């Protein structure tokens, strides 16, 4: 591995922080291989952004070998977001045994979607993605029964690009 993110705590005032901006991510890993374990993330739009190598630097190349395990995220809009840049692949990613709590009411004021774990391609592709044994909780909502553009526990979909050889199994998704 050439990237380790282990046993850290990332916190932010939820949303509009002291600098007057929305805190967008706890942290981001690019390329891989990487191990991301035992982190605590609180109050960000996205807990962990997982990105393929930047397309301009790795056109047609593959990034992967990422393990995201045993992390705890609270008051987030999306727990883990997989992002494959144009012309690059993100492959061999395992997201397992994480505890995610999505704050639907807060983040729906700023964004059209909230998800526990989601893909978001920009003409790249994802291959061999395994999402297993995660617990995803949507906090109780005080809002009327309306939903944003989309909301989901595990969303393995794409607007552009390609997603192949993916597994989502043994996850628990609860709307409280």
């Amino acid at each position: 591995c050439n990237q380790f993110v282990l046993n850290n705590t990332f916190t932010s005032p939820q949303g509009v922080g002291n600098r007057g901006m929305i805190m967008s991510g706890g942290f981001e890993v690019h390329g891989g291989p990487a191990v991301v374990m035992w982190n605590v993330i609180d109050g960000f739009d996205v807990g962990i952004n997982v990105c393929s190598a930047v397309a301009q630097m790795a056109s047609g190349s593959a990034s992967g070998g990422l393990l995201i395990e045993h992390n705890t995220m609270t008051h987030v809009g999306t727990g883990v977001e997989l992002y494959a840049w144009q012309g690059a692949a993100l492959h061999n990613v395992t997201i397992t045994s994480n505890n995610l709590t999505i704050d639907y009411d807060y983040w729906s004021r700023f964004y059209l979607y909230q998800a526990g774990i989601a893909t978001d391609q920009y003409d790249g592709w994802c291959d061999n993605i395994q999402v297993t044994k995660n617990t995803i909780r949507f906090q109780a909502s005080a809002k009327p029964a309306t939903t944003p553009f989309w909301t989901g526990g595990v969303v393995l979909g794409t607007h552009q690009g390609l997603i192949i050889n993916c597994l989502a199994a043994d996850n628990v998704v609860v709307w409280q």
Side-chain angles (χ1 to χ4, degrees), residues 17-54:
N18 295 330
R19 295 180 199 95
M21 63 183 177
I22 295 172
M23 304 307 288
S24 62
F27 66 91
E28 191 166 295
V29 293
H30 285 258
V35 174
V36 178
M37 296 177 72
W38 308 304
N39 298 288
V40 175
I41 300 164
D42 179 60
F44 290 89
D45 170 36
V46 178
I48 303 171
N49 283 303
V50 179
C51 301
S52 63
V54 176

mmCIF file of all heavy atoms in Angstrom, residues 17-54:
data_model
loop_
_atom_site.group_PDB
_atom_site.id
_atom_site.type_symbol
_atom_site.label_atom_id
_atom_site.label_comp_id
_atom_site.label_asym_id
_atom_site.label_seq_id
_atom_site.Cartn_x
_atom_site.Cartn_y
_atom_site.Cartn_z
ATOM 1 N N GLY A 17 -19.638 26.488 8.215
ATOM 2 C CA GLY A 17 -18.678 26.494 9.308
ATOM 3 C C GLY A 17 -18.193 27.898 9.625
ATOM 4 O O GLY A 17 -18.729 28.899 9.160
ATOM 5 N N ASN A 18 -17.155 27.954 10.410
ATOM 6 C CA ASN A 18 -16.587 29.226 10.839
ATOM 7 C C ASN A 18 -16.101 30.064 9.660
ATOM 8 O O ASN A 18 -16.009 31.270 9.750
ATOM 9 C CB ASN A 18 -15.434 28.986 11.813
ATOM 10 C CG ASN A 18 -15.926 28.342 13.082
ATOM 11 O OD1 ASN A 18 -17.064 28.555 13.484
ATOM 12 N ND2 ASN A 18 -15.097 27.531 13.705
ATOM 13 N N ARG A 19 -15.767 29.440 8.553
ATOM 14 C CA ARG A 19 -15.282 30.160 7.383
ATOM 15 C C ARG A 19 -16.415 30.523 6.424
ATOM 16 O O ARG A 19 -16.180 31.014 5.340
ATOM 17 C CB ARG A 19 -14.230 29.330 6.658
ATOM 18 C CG ARG A 19 -12.998 29.131 7.501
ATOM 19 C CD ARG A 19 -11.976 28.290 6.746
ATOM 20 N NE ARG A 19 -11.026 27.735 7.685
ATOM 21 C CZ ARG A 19 -11.111 26.540 8.221
ATOM 22 N NH1 ARG A 19 -12.103 25.741 7.913
ATOM 23 N NH2 ARG A 19 -10.205 26.120 9.065
ATOM 24 N N GLY A 20 -17.646 30.218 6.790
ATOM 25 C CA GLY A 20 -18.791 30.583 5.970
ATOM 26 C C GLY A 20 -18.941 29.730 4.722
ATOM 27 O O GLY A 20 -19.458 30.176 3.717
ATOM 28 N N MET A 21 -18.475 28.470 4.764
ATOM 29 C CA MET A 21 -18.621 27.607 3.593
ATOM 30 C C MET A 21 -19.068 26.225 4.038
ATOM 31 O O MET A 21 -18.929 25.848 5.196
ATOM 32 C CB MET A 21 -17.313 27.519 2.820
ATOM 33 C CG MET A 21 -16.186 26.900 3.583
ATOM 34 S SD MET A 21 -14.705 26.945 2.575
ATOM 35 C CE MET A 21 -13.541 26.266 3.713
ATOM 36 N N ILE A 22 -19.595 25.478 3.099
ATOM 37 C CA ILE A 22 -20.015 24.112 3.375
ATOM 38 C C ILE A 22 -18.771 23.234 3.374
ATOM 39 O O ILE A 22 -17.972 23.277 2.448
ATOM 40 C CB ILE A 22 -21.025 23.632 2.316
ATOM 41 C CG1 ILE A 22 -22.289 24.466 2.416
ATOM 42 C CG2 ILE A 22 -21.328 22.165 2.496
ATOM 43 C CD1 ILE A 22 -23.271 24.205 1.308
ATOM 44 N N MET A 23 -18.595 22.458 4.405
ATOM 45 C CA MET A 23 -17.450 21.556 4.495
ATOM 46 C C MET A 23 -17.765 20.319 3.651
ATOM 47 O O MET A 23 -18.651 19.559 3.972
ATOM 48 C CB MET A 23 -17.186 21.180 5.951
ATOM 49 C CG MET A 23 -16.974 22.396 6.846
ATOM 50 S SD MET A 23 -15.719 23.545 6.259
ATOM 51 C CE MET A 23 -14.253 22.627 6.583
ATOM 52 N N SER A 24 -17.038 20.141 2.558
ATOM 53 C CA SER A 24 -17.454 19.153 1.565
ATOM 54 C C SER A 24 -16.983 17.741 1.833
ATOM 55 O O SER A 24 -17.672 16.805 1.473
ATOM 56 C CB SER A 24 -17.005 19.586 0.171
ATOM 57 O OG SER A 24 -15.599 19.656 0.122
ATOM 58 N N GLY A 25 -15.829 17.526 2.431
ATOM 59 C CA GLY A 25 -15.384 16.154 2.621
ATOM 60 C C GLY A 25 -14.463 15.991 3.806
ATOM 61 O O GLY A 25 -13.638 16.858 4.088
ATOM 62 N N GLY A 26 -14.624 14.840 4.481
ATOM 63 C CA GLY A 26 -13.713 14.523 5.567
ATOM 64 C C GLY A 26 -12.303 14.360 5.032
ATOM 65 O O GLY A 26 -11.368 14.985 5.500
ATOM 66 N N PHE A 27 -12.152 13.523 3.990
ATOM 67 C CA PHE A 27 -10.892 13.400 3.278
ATOM 68 C C PHE A 27 -11.120 12.675 1.963
ATOM 69 O O PHE A 27 -12.198 12.163 1.691
ATOM 70 C CB PHE A 27 -9.797 12.719 4.118
ATOM 71 C CG PHE A 27 -10.077 11.282 4.447
ATOM 72 C CD1 PHE A 27 -9.639 10.266 3.624
ATOM 73 C CD2 PHE A 27 -10.781 10.953 5.584
ATOM 74 C CE1 PHE A 27 -9.900 8.944 3.924
ATOM 75 C CE2 PHE A 27 -11.038 9.632 5.900
ATOM 76 C CZ PHE A 27 -10.594 8.634 5.063
ATOM 77 N N GLU A 28 -10.085 12.616 1.158
ATOM 78 C CA GLU A 28 -10.173 12.057 -0.194
ATOM 79 C C GLU A 28 -8.921 11.232 -0.476
ATOM 80 O O GLU A 28 -7.820 11.643 -0.126
ATOM 81 C CB GLU A 28 -10.266 13.223 -1.177
ATOM 82 C CG GLU A 28 -10.626 12.851 -2.571
ATOM 83 C CD GLU A 28 -11.035 14.058 -3.387
ATOM 84 O OE1 GLU A 28 -12.073 14.683 -3.056
ATOM 85 O OE2 GLU A 28 -10.314 14.376 -4.346
ATOM 86 N N VAL A 29 -9.109 10.052 -1.074
ATOM 87 C CA VAL A 29 -7.974 9.241 -1.521
ATOM 88 C C VAL A 29 -8.053 9.114 -3.035
ATOM 89 O O VAL A 29 -9.136 9.004 -3.607
ATOM 90 C CB VAL A 29 -7.926 7.849 -0.857
ATOM 91 C CG1 VAL A 29 -7.638 7.974 0.624
ATOM 92 C CG2 VAL A 29 -9.204 7.076 -1.082
ATOM 93 N N HIS A 30 -6.892 9.170 -3.673
ATOM 94 C CA HIS A 30 -6.804 9.063 -5.132
ATOM 95 C C HIS A 30 -5.952 7.870 -5.517
ATOM 96 O O HIS A 30 -4.884 7.667 -4.958
ATOM 97 C CB HIS A 30 -6.161 10.329 -5.737
ATOM 98 C CG HIS A 30 -7.073 11.498 -5.766
ATOM 99 N ND1 HIS A 30 -7.706 11.904 -6.908
ATOM 100 C CD2 HIS A 30 -7.479 12.340 -4.788
ATOM 101 C CE1 HIS A 30 -8.450 12.958 -6.641
ATOM 102 N NE2 HIS A 30 -8.320 13.236 -5.355
ATOM 103 N N GLY A 31 -6.439 7.140 -6.501
ATOM 104 C CA GLY A 31 -5.637 6.075 -7.094
ATOM 105 C C GLY A 31 -5.616 4.815 -6.283
ATOM 106 O O GLY A 31 -6.433 3.950 -6.462
ATOM 107 N N GLY A 32 -4.674 4.690 -5.405
ATOM 108 C CA GLY A 32 -4.504 3.488 -4.616
ATOM 109 C C GLY A 32 -3.173 2.857 -4.960
ATOM 110 O O GLY A 32 -2.432 3.378 -5.802
ATOM 111 N N PRO A 33 -2.832 1.797 -4.326
ATOM 112 C CA PRO A 33 -3.611 1.126 -3.278
ATOM 113 C C PRO A 33 -3.683 1.953 -2.002
ATOM 114 O O PRO A 33 -2.830 2.790 -1.747
ATOM 115 C CB PRO A 33 -2.855 -0.177 -3.048
ATOM 116 C CG PRO A 33 -1.492 0.037 -3.596
ATOM 117 C CD PRO A 33 -1.579 1.096 -4.640
ATOM 118 N N ALA A 34 -4.734 1.670 -1.215
ATOM 119 C CA ALA A 34 -4.952 2.426 0.018
ATOM 120 C C ALA A 34 -5.714 1.576 1.029
ATOM 121 O O ALA A 34 -6.529 0.734 0.654
ATOM 122 C CB ALA A 34 -5.732 3.704 -0.265
ATOM 123 N N VAL A 35 -5.435 1.832 2.299
ATOM 124 C CA VAL A 35 -6.174 1.235 3.406
ATOM 125 C C VAL A 35 -6.708 2.387 4.244
ATOM 126 O O VAL A 35 -5.947 3.254 4.686
ATOM 127 C CB VAL A 35 -5.275 0.316 4.269
ATOM 128 C CG1 VAL A 35 -6.035 -0.166 5.494
ATOM 129 C CG2 VAL A 35 -4.766 -0.862 3.448
ATOM 130 N N VAL A 36 -8.040 2.399 4.448
ATOM 131 C CA VAL A 36 -8.714 3.446 5.208
ATOM 132 C C VAL A 36 -9.507 2.745 6.306
ATOM 133 O O VAL A 36 -10.522 2.117 6.025
ATOM 134 C CB VAL A 36 -9.638 4.273 4.290
ATOM 135 C CG1 VAL A 36 -10.366 5.333 5.090
ATOM 136 C CG2 VAL A 36 -8.855 4.887 3.136
ATOM 137 N N MET A 37 -9.013 2.833 7.548
ATOM 138 C CA MET A 37 -9.644 2.086 8.642
ATOM 139 C C MET A 37 -9.669 2.887 9.937
ATOM 140 O O MET A 37 -8.777 3.692 10.196
ATOM 141 C CB MET A 37 -8.882 0.781 8.901
ATOM 142 C CG MET A 37 -8.915 -0.203 7.742
ATOM 143 S SD MET A 37 -7.946 -1.698 8.049
ATOM 144 C CE MET A 37 -8.975 -2.496 9.256
ATOM 145 N N TRP A 38 -10.708 2.616 10.744
ATOM 146 C CA TRP A 38 -10.855 3.096 12.120
ATOM 147 C C TRP A 38 -10.899 4.616 12.229
ATOM 148 O O TRP A 38 -10.487 5.181 13.239
ATOM 149 C CB TRP A 38 -9.749 2.544 13.023
ATOM 150 C CG TRP A 38 -9.584 1.067 12.981
ATOM 151 C CD1 TRP A 38 -10.546 0.121 13.228
ATOM 152 C CD2 TRP A 38 -8.397 0.365 12.637
ATOM 153 N NE1 TRP A 38 -10.016 -1.129 13.061
ATOM 154 C CE2 TRP A 38 -8.694 -1.012 12.707
ATOM 155 C CE3 TRP A 38 -7.121 0.747 12.274
ATOM 156 C CZ2 TRP A 38 -7.752 -1.989 12.434
ATOM 157 C CZ3 TRP A 38 -6.183 -0.224 12.012
ATOM 158 C CH2 TRP A 38 -6.504 -1.566 12.091
ATOM 159 N N ASN A 39 -11.409 5.284 11.223
ATOM 160 C CA ASN A 39 -11.535 6.737 11.267
ATOM 161 C C ASN A 39 -12.924 7.137 11.757
ATOM 162 O O ASN A 39 -13.900 6.410 11.542
ATOM 163 C CB ASN A 39 -11.285 7.325 9.872
ATOM 164 C CG ASN A 39 -9.884 7.028 9.408
ATOM 165 O OD1 ASN A 39 -8.931 7.604 9.906
ATOM 166 N ND2 ASN A 39 -9.746 6.119 8.456
ATOM 167 N N VAL A 40 -13.004 8.299 12.389
ATOM 168 C CA VAL A 40 -14.270 8.876 12.825
ATOM 169 C C VAL A 40 -14.438 10.191 12.065
ATOM 170 O O VAL A 40 -13.550 11.049 12.087
ATOM 171 C CB VAL A 40 -14.276 9.128 14.343
ATOM 172 C CG1 VAL A 40 -15.561 9.840 14.755
ATOM 173 C CG2 VAL A 40 -14.116 7.815 15.101
ATOM 174 N N ILE A 41 -15.579 10.326 11.381
ATOM 175 C CA ILE A 41 -15.841 11.497 10.543
ATOM 176 C C ILE A 41 -17.209 12.050 10.932
ATOM 177 O O ILE A 41 -18.194 11.305 10.945
ATOM 178 C CB ILE A 41 -15.802 11.114 9.053
ATOM 179 C CG1 ILE A 41 -14.429 10.542 8.700
ATOM 180 C CG2 ILE A 41 -16.158 12.299 8.176
ATOM 181 C CD1 ILE A 41 -14.393 9.784 7.402
ATOM 182 N N ASP A 42 -17.275 13.354 11.216
ATOM 183 C CA ASP A 42 -18.527 13.937 11.677
ATOM 184 C C ASP A 42 -18.749 15.307 11.037
ATOM 185 O O ASP A 42 -17.876 16.178 11.091
ATOM 186 C CB ASP A 42 -18.489 14.091 13.198
ATOM 187 C CG ASP A 42 -19.768 14.714 13.727
ATOM 188 O OD1 ASP A 42 -20.850 14.124 13.521
ATOM 189 O OD2 ASP A 42 -19.689 15.796 14.331
ATOM 190 N N GLY A 43 -19.914 15.495 10.385
ATOM 191 C CA GLY A 43 -20.363 16.806 9.943
ATOM 192 C C GLY A 43 -19.895 17.255 8.576
ATOM 193 O O GLY A 43 -19.733 18.444 8.359
ATOM 194 N N PHE A 44 -19.704 16.340 7.645
ATOM 195 C CA PHE A 44 -19.275 16.703 6.286
ATOM 196 C C PHE A 44 -20.318 16.267 5.270
ATOM 197 O O PHE A 44 -21.051 15.307 5.499
ATOM 198 C CB PHE A 44 -17.943 16.023 5.943
ATOM 199 C CG PHE A 44 -16.780 16.565 6.713
ATOM 200 C CD1 PHE A 44 -16.436 16.026 7.937
ATOM 201 C CD2 PHE A 44 -16.027 17.615 6.214
ATOM 202 C CE1 PHE A 44 -15.366 16.518 8.656
ATOM 203 C CE2 PHE A 44 -14.950 18.113 6.921
ATOM 204 C CZ PHE A 44 -14.611 17.563 8.148
ATOM 205 N N ASP A 45 -20.339 16.947 4.115
ATOM 206 C CA ASP A 45 -21.219 16.519 3.029
ATOM 207 C C ASP A 45 -20.895 15.089 2.629
ATOM 208 O O ASP A 45 -21.770 14.247 2.535
ATOM 209 C CB ASP A 45 -21.079 17.466 1.829
ATOM 210 C CG ASP A 45 -21.766 16.944 0.592
ATOM 211 O OD1 ASP A 45 -22.830 16.310 0.731
ATOM 212 O OD2 ASP A 45 -21.241 17.146 -0.505
ATOM 213 N N VAL A 46 -19.618 14.787 2.357
ATOM 214 C CA VAL A 46 -19.178 13.429 2.030
ATOM 215 C C VAL A 46 -18.120 13.024 3.046
ATOM 216 O O VAL A 46 -17.152 13.764 3.268
ATOM 217 C CB VAL A 46 -18.587 13.341 0.607
ATOM 218 C CG1 VAL A 46 -18.095 11.931 0.310
ATOM 219 C CG2 VAL A 46 -19.624 13.759 -0.431
ATOM 220 N N GLY A 47 -18.300 11.870 3.645
ATOM 221 C CA GLY A 47 -17.311 11.400 4.613
ATOM 222 C C GLY A 47 -15.983 11.088 3.949
ATOM 223 O O GLY A 47 -14.945 11.637 4.317
ATOM 224 N N ILE A 48 -16.004 10.194 2.947
ATOM 225 C CA ILE A 48 -14.790 9.784 2.245
ATOM 226 C C ILE A 48 -15.047 9.828 0.741
ATOM 227 O O ILE A 48 -15.951 9.155 0.246
ATOM 228 C CB ILE A 48 -14.357 8.360 2.631
ATOM 229 C CG1 ILE A 48 -14.135 8.240 4.148
ATOM 230 C CG2 ILE A 48 -13.100 7.955 1.876
ATOM 231 C CD1 ILE A 48 -13.928 6.812 4.626
ATOM 232 N N ASN A 49 -14.251 10.596 0.015
ATOM 233 C CA ASN A 49 -14.255 10.583 -1.446
ATOM 234 C C ASN A 49 -13.165 9.618 -1.905
ATOM 235 O O ASN A 49 -12.011 9.773 -1.509
ATOM 236 C CB ASN A 49 -13.944 11.974 -2.014
ATOM 237 C CG ASN A 49 -15.125 12.910 -1.929
ATOM 238 O OD1 ASN A 49 -16.183 12.616 -2.437
ATOM 239 N ND2 ASN A 49 -14.925 14.033 -1.277
ATOM 240 N N VAL A 50 -13.543 8.653 -2.729
ATOM 241 C CA VAL A 50 -12.585 7.698 -3.289
ATOM 242 C C VAL A 50 -12.536 7.944 -4.788
ATOM 243 O O VAL A 50 -13.527 7.743 -5.484
ATOM 244 C CB VAL A 50 -13.011 6.243 -3.001
ATOM 245 C CG1 VAL A 50 -12.027 5.260 -3.615
ATOM 246 C CG2 VAL A 50 -13.162 6.018 -1.505
ATOM 247 N N CYS A 51 -11.391 8.407 -5.288
ATOM 248 C CA CYS A 51 -11.278 8.824 -6.680
ATOM 249 C C CYS A 51 -10.254 7.979 -7.430
ATOM 250 O O CYS A 51 -9.221 7.610 -6.879
ATOM 251 C CB CYS A 51 -10.838 10.282 -6.774
ATOM 252 S SG CYS A 51 -11.963 11.421 -5.974
ATOM 253 N N SER A 52 -10.536 7.755 -8.702
ATOM 254 C CA SER A 52 -9.522 7.172 -9.569
ATOM 255 C C SER A 52 -8.427 8.215 -9.766
ATOM 256 O O SER A 52 -8.579 9.374 -9.401
ATOM 257 C CB SER A 52 -10.130 6.781 -10.916
ATOM 258 O OG SER A 52 -10.614 7.931 -11.588
ATOM 259 N N ALA A 53 -7.322 7.802 -10.358
ATOM 260 C CA ALA A 53 -6.276 8.768 -10.694
ATOM 261 C C ALA A 53 -6.868 9.825 -11.613
ATOM 262 O O ALA A 53 -7.798 9.554 -12.368
ATOM 263 C CB ALA A 53 -5.103 8.065 -11.371
ATOM 264 N N VAL A 54 -6.351 11.027 -11.541
ATOM 265 C CA VAL A 54 -6.844 12.116 -12.377
ATOM 266 C C VAL A 54 -6.651 11.740 -13.835
ATOM 267 O O VAL A 54 -5.572 11.316 -14.249
ATOM 268 C CB VAL A 54 -6.118 13.432 -12.042
ATOM 269 C CG1 VAL A 54 -6.568 14.541 -12.970
ATOM 270 C CG2 VAL A 54 -6.370 13.800 -10.593
#
